[in-house]
Amino acid sequence: MPPIEVIINASGGSFVEDETEQLLAEAFAANNLGANIRLARSGDQIGEFAEAAAKSDAEIIVAGGGDGTISSVAAIVSKTGKTFGVLPLGTLNNFSKDLQIPQDIDEAVRIIADGYVSEIDLAELNGRVFINNSSIGLYPRIVRNRVQQQRLGYGKWRAAFWATLRMFRVSPFLKVGIVVDGKFFLRKTPFVFVGNNEYEMELYNIGRRSALDQGKLSVYFLHRGGRLGVILLLLRTITGRVKQWRDFEEVLSETVSIQTRRKRMQVAFDGEVDTVATPLQYKILPKALRVIVPKPAEENKDA
């Protein structure tokens, strides 16, 4: 069997020079796996290594880093039919957590060695593949500000408070037309959030996904415009009643189109921000990725 191709983001937050590479090499060796470990120092190099791995004889391609790294490699692997492995070496590691992959390196490599494969969905925006979610407007700005405040040592709600104050310095609202299942929604909204499968949503904490193979995009947006609507949304979030609020809309669909007068706009996906031409055309890619995950508990009992 050809060695596994392993692509590591060496500029990521949890990568420690010399130490991380050695730990990985020892973990793969302990599980009797041959591994060709490549350390990428830039986003371009991650793409180069992923393309080379896709053309190699390797049957398994593994990515180690944050969700941005995982997403860029997964997009390439999905076109090959090869099997994808995940090493959670980023800050948040939302994708690996949704897949129930252990956050410890040794345990994550053991999962790869076990080799249990599941077929999961990916999502796409104007031809760009993403694994978690994409958003426009206020939502990514608030979350980024909150994360920055927490890194400075503030608690969750204090960080949320300061993030909200910063939000009110500029007008955060968008006028958009949203087309879902042939229905047209015209909204003045602070954000639109599109997820690969359904999320448990809170304003300051994007929740987990219970499944990544349901073949649906989840779309979330605020019905009521104006700053008062955002304040009410914050209060509903604190009391845990966001989804029960009639002005907070959730829609599930296979495709979503977002239209605006702007020719280009800032879009966040999988922790990164890019400028994208409008209209924004989202679609689900059912069972597009073969990924190694922990074996279900029922199958462990039968083993």
Side-chain angles (χ1 to χ4, degrees):
M1 178 178 175
I4 295 172
E5 290 288 336
V6 182
I7 302 162
I8 304 298
N9 182 357
S11 62
S14 65
F15 181 86
V16 180
E17 196 68 41
D18 298 327
E19 180 181 323
T20 302
E21 183 180 11
Q22 182 178 346
L23 288 173
L24 287 170
E26 291 174 353
F28 279 102
N31 286 278
N32 299 314
L33 294 175
N36 181 22
I37 300 175
R38 299 174 181 263
L39 304 182
R41 305 289 177 178
S42 68
D44 288 341
Q45 202 167 41
I46 290 171
E48 291 170 7
F49 288 165
E51 292 286 359
K55 296 174 183 177
S56 73
D57 294 331
E59 298 174 9
I60 299 173
I61 301 174
V62 173
D67 287 331
T69 299
I70 304 300
S71 184
S72 61
V73 179
I76 293 171
V77 176
S78 67
K79 298 174 184 177
T80 68
K82 295 187 177 187
T83 300
F84 186 55
V86 178
L87 293 173
L89 296 174
T91 303
L92 299 177
N93 303 316
N94 288 315
F95 183 65
S96 64
K97 291 174 181 175
D98 288 340
L99 292 177
Q100 306 297 317
I101 293 173
Q103 301 301 290
D104 175 76
I105 288 180
D106 290 332
E107 288 298 307
V109 172
R110 183 184 60 78
I111 295 298
I112 293 172
D114 288 345
Y116 185 86
V117 176
S118 178
E119 293 184 342
I120 66 168
D121 305 334
L122 297 175
E124 183 182 278
L125 165 60
N126 291 12
R128 174 167 174 170
V129 170
F130 59 94
I131 55 175
N132 291 336
N133 55 70
S134 172
S135 56
I136 60 172
L138 176 65
Y139 202 103
R141 296 213 305 267
I142 290 181
V143 174
R144 283 201 304 270
N145 286 334
R146 188 262 297 170
V147 170
Q148 290 170 359
Q149 294 292 329
Q150 285 187 293
R151 287 175 177 169
L152 294 174
Y154 293 107
K156 176 180 177 180
W157 292 113
R158 186 178 179 185
F161 173 75
W162 287 110
T164 304
L165 286 185
R166 293 186 65 176
M167 170 196 75
F168 280 104
R169 293 180 184 177
V170 295
S171 176
F173 303 102
L174 300 169
K175 289 183 179 179
V176 294
I178 305 172
V179 181
V180 180
D181 292 334
K183 298 178 181 178
F184 181 80
F185 302 82
L186 182 62
R187 295 289 184 265
K188 179 182 178 183
T189 181
F191 69 87
V192 181
F193 176 100
V194 181
N196 172 18
N197 282 269
E198 188 173 9
Y199 275 82
E200 290 296 325
M201 290 291 295
E202 299 175 10
L203 180 61
Y204 292 106
N205 183 29
I206 301 171
R208 300 264 69 86
R209 289 170 289 181
S210 60
L212 282 85
D213 59 358
Q214 301 302 299
K216 295 290 185 180
L217 298 171
S218 53
V219 188
Y220 305 89
F221 53 93
L222 182 65
H223 179 93
R224 179 179 297 179
R227 296 173 189 267
L228 176 60
V230 178
I231 294 172
L232 291 174
L233 178 59
L234 174 60
L235 294 175
R236 290 280 178 166
T237 300
I238 293 172
T239 58
R241 292 181 294 165
V242 173
K243 284 196 173 184
Q244 285 72 46
W245 188 24
R246 67 171 184 262
D247 295 316
F248 182 79
E249 299 187 41
E250 174 190 14
V251 182
L252 298 178
S253 179
E254 295 178 4
T255 61
V256 178
S257 176
I258 300 177
Q259 305 168 5
T260 175
R261 292 182 179 178
R262 302 179 186 182
K263 293 183 178 180
R264 302 176 67 84
M265 65 190 314
Q266 294 288 302
V267 181
F269 18 174
D270 293 339
E272 299 180 356
V273 178
D274 201 358
T275 302
V276 180
T278 60
L280 306 181
Q281 306 285 3
Y282 289 92
K283 66 178 180 180
I284 196 73
L285 304 176
K287 300 187 184 303
L289 184 67
R290 288 171 46 84
V291 62
I292 300 174
V293 298
K295 186 178 294 186
E298 312 82 65
E299 296 200 22
N300 279 327
K301 290 179 182 177
D302 296 338

